[in-house]
Each structure stands twice: as structure tokens, then as C-alpha cells.
Amino acid sequence: MAGAVAVAADVSAGATEALQPHDGLHERFGAGVAAAVDATPWLNFGAWLGGRYDLHPRDARGKDDGLLFQSELSSRLAFQRGALGYGLEASAWLPGGADVGESFSGLSADGKLLVSRQSGSVLVAGSAGYRFDRSARAAGEPGRLRFGDRSALGVSDYDALLAGLGIGYSAGRTLLFGEASAQLLLGSPKLLASPLRLSLGVRRPLGPQGLSVEFALDGLLSARPDSMSGAELVPIEPRVNLSLGLRYRLGEQSPADRSEKPLPAATTQPVPEPKPAGAPAAKPTTTVDLFSPSKRTGRTRYRRM
């Protein structure tokens, strides 16, 4: 619906296992906010800002922790033909850096094709795209990074192929969804160390029309890099991440004004929500961003898929 505005916010917590001998648990706490507006029934613009705090085991230099912020602007074209929804999405994002200048030096972009199909209470959605990734430039000299920083930055030296497949089921007012997504690092010496994610979640309306709450559990299926002491940087995401978010959409039609059949998810862009603080891929994202409040937050997650 043209003129409709959606806002979203979420908090998350994640954990990463020991990544080398004598290492310990790495903890992550994140939060994000996002907003999106439907300029026309088929064109949507969104913005997302997320931050996270990482706490690592002590090393030879003492306490190791860090605070990181990321941002993203996105646009989505979406159309519908019968039960089929399809669209295009483009986004530009800034990785976290020591300062604004370093973040801008790592300016990166994603492009994706979206498709979805609604059949009764079931929605199936998929996405495929490419990531032009320059985020490693925001990391400065890799050789000077502490081990904890290398594992937490979420930046990459490699462009990536993006893919996702999700399914949603409406049980009354509750939406249950699941998604598998991948960020395949092109040229990486260990392709299986590319971020491969499995997500499960539930969303339910709250009180006022347009307000909903969402809970999601993300699991990382990837192997870990054989070595984290080399010059190459790859995204290291939490092995498990929990997120809780709220979304409010102004201009939502009442059930009486809607057609009997709900529109496929790809016809409207969810607000880029705060993606789990993970890697810039850790930029939601996600196919279920077709369900979620936002792409990154769309579920958001901080994953940029």
C-alpha cells in the first residue's frame, strides 16, 4: 500500500565456540532499528542501523571486547501475478570500522532476485543474488588485529553468491517460519567455511493493529576456517543466535479491507530489521526477510542476506 510506513527494533544474543586451542566462548549482544516506506504499491525504500557488543576470552593483552555499528540503505521493486510474487532488491551497506572514513572505504552492495508463492496458509519464498564485498577495507591492517577482533568484525575479502529458501505457515494469527540461507565466498580456500544458516521463528500480532512481535533462533551450519592467522579475512558468525523484535506498520489495512487471499511476501518489503549481529552477511540476512520485519531485520537480523 503506497504511503505505508513500517518501523522495527530488535535485540539479540549469540555465542561462538572456541576457534583455536586454548580459546574460549565468544559472546555477542546486538540491537538494531529499521524503517521502510512504500513509495508506491511496487516500490519500497528502507534503512537499517545496527550495533553489537562482542566479548572475547582474555588474551595476552588482557580483556578483549569491542563495540561495532553498521548501516544499510535498500530499495525493492515487487510485483504480483496471481499467487506468484517476484521482485528485485538492491542495497548498499557500510561495515563497522575504526572511524567513519574506514567504514566508507568498505562500502559494499548486494543485488537479489526474489520470488514467492502463496498457497492457502503456506508461503514459499526464495532469493538468489550477488554480493560485491569490499568490507575488508574497513578492517585496516589484518596483521595488527587481535584474535577476538578478527572473529567479530564480520568483514570479508571475498565477493559472494547469496541464496535463500524459506517457508511460512499461518496458524490463525500466528506465523511460523523457517529458512535456509547461504553466503558462498567466491575464491575462498575453504568454501564450506562460508556462512550457511538455518533459522526458525514465530511472529504474532499484538494488541493494536499493525503491531507484531517476533522471536527467531538462528543456527550456523558452516565449518570454521582452517586458520585465522592469515592475511585473508572471512566472516565469522555466532554458532547460535537468539533474537526478539517488535514491528509496527502504519497504514496496514484491516482484515475486512483485504482480499481473501493474502499477497505473496515478495510484494511488500519488510522493514530491514536489525539482523542478528553476525556478519555483514550477518545482513540478514534473508529470504525470510520476505516474512520478517525487515531484511536484515526483515528479520534482521544483522545478516545481510
Side-chain angles (χ1 to χ4, degrees):
M1 176 178 177
V5 175
V7 293
D10 79 347
V11 293
S12 62
T16 299
E17 74 281 15
L19 299 172
Q20 64 179 7
H22 312 300
D23 190 22
L25 186 70
H26 300 256
E27 301 171 75
R28 173 170 295 174
F29 305 94
V33 294
V37 59
D38 294 335
T40 71
W42 44 267
L43 178 62
N44 175 285
F45 295 100
W48 167 82
L49 175 65
R52 67 177 188 266
Y53 171 75
D54 286 281
L55 179 62
H56 311 287
R58 295 176 67 89
D59 59 15
R61 295 165 60 181
K63 183 178 179 181
D64 189 3
D65 60 358
L67 188 62
L68 186 69
F69 294 94
Q70 290 191 317
S71 58
E72 177 183 288
L73 295 176
S74 62
S75 179
R76 174 181 291 183
L77 287 170
F79 305 93
Q80 179 187 3
R81 181 182 291 273
L84 181 67
Y86 52 95
L88 296 171
E89 182 178 272
S91 60
W93 48 274
L94 293 175
D99 54 44
V100 175
E102 285 199 355
S103 288
F104 271 96
S105 70
L107 178 64
S108 302
D110 295 354
K112 292 193 296 182
L113 298 175
L114 310 171
V115 64
S116 68
R117 182 176 178 80
Q118 182 88 41
S119 179
S121 298
V122 178
L123 171 69
V124 178
S127 68
Y130 188 86
R131 171 167 296 163
F132 183 70
D133 200 326
R134 293 296 176 267
S135 58
R137 298 183 181 182
E141 280 294 331
R144 302 180 62 181
L145 294 174
R146 296 173 72 176
F147 181 78
D149 294 332
R150 292 182 68 95
S151 68
L153 283 175
V155 299
S156 176
D157 275 308
Y158 306 101
D159 288 356
L161 293 178
L162 307 176
L165 179 64
I167 183 169
Y169 175 74
S170 296
R173 300 180 67 213
T174 301
L175 174 68
L176 306 175
F177 60 85
E179 177 194 20
S181 60
Q183 176 190 341
L184 301 177
L185 306 178
L186 301 178
S188 170
K190 188 175 183 179
L191 189 61
L192 290 179
S194 301
L196 306 172
R197 316 174 193 88
L198 182 64
S199 304
L200 297 173
V202 58
R203 181 185 302 160
R204 184 174 176 80
L206 291 177
Q209 182 178 316
L211 179 66
S212 61
V213 62
E214 179 179 306
F215 175 79
L217 171 64
D218 304 315
L220 187 72
L221 308 180
S222 314
R224 294 304 191 186
D226 292 328
S227 172
M228 291 187 59
S229 59
E232 293 82 11
L233 293 170
V234 296
I236 304 294
E237 298 188 13
R239 183 62 68 184
V240 63
N241 193 89
L242 292 171
S243 62
L244 177 66
L246 288 174
R247 176 194 183 197
Y248 184 66
R249 186 168 178 84
L250 300 92
E252 191 100 347
Q253 291 179 305
S254 65
D257 294 332
R258 295 176 185 163
S259 59
E260 260 181 53
K261 188 180 248 183
L263 297 177
T267 59
T268 50
Q269 168 162 355
V271 182
E273 351 173 306
K275 33 208 138 132
K283 208 183 228 178
T285 151
T286 116
T287 293
V288 179
D289 108 48
L290 295 181
F291 306 129
S292 315
S294 146
K295 149 188 148 144
R296 234 188 248 355
T297 106
R299 248 183 38 304
T300 165
R301 292 151 62 335
Y302 162 32
R303 53 166 103 103
R304 286 178 215 258
M305 238 186 111

